[in-house]
Amino acid sequence: MDDTSMVGLMGRVTGTIGPGLVGEVIVRVRGGAEHFLAYPATGTERIERGTVVTVVEYLPPRTVYVSAMYGS
């Protein structure tokens, strides 16, 4: 999977993301759902478990930077 195909995908936080924390998200890709290590796209944002996020940047093989959707 290349960088551009991951950017813009939606996922759900399964482990809290925030400054000083390595969180986790689940994203639907390649016909299934996969877990990725996740960091906030802005260094100060805290994103709680269950929040819907969008992938802003993808660092292969399993790291994404995300931002909360829907003003959460």
Side-chain angles (χ1 to χ4, degrees), residues 6-67:
M6 282 291 292
V7 172
L9 292 180
M10 290 192 313
R12 185 168 303 274
V13 176
T14 55
T16 301
I17 302 166
L21 299 173
V22 178
E24 183 181 64
V25 296
I26 189 165
V27 180
R28 291 193 175 276
V29 291
R30 297 184 274 267
E34 297 182 20
H35 288 267
F36 293 85
L37 298 176
Y39 295 92
T42 63
T44 58
E45 186 176 19
R46 183 176 175 95
I47 308 171
E48 299 296 332
R49 187 175 174 181
T51 303
V52 175
V53 294
T54 187
V55 175
V56 174
E57 186 177 351
Y58 170 59
L59 301 174
R62 311 273 334 143
T63 302
V64 292
Y65 284 80
V66 299
S67 185

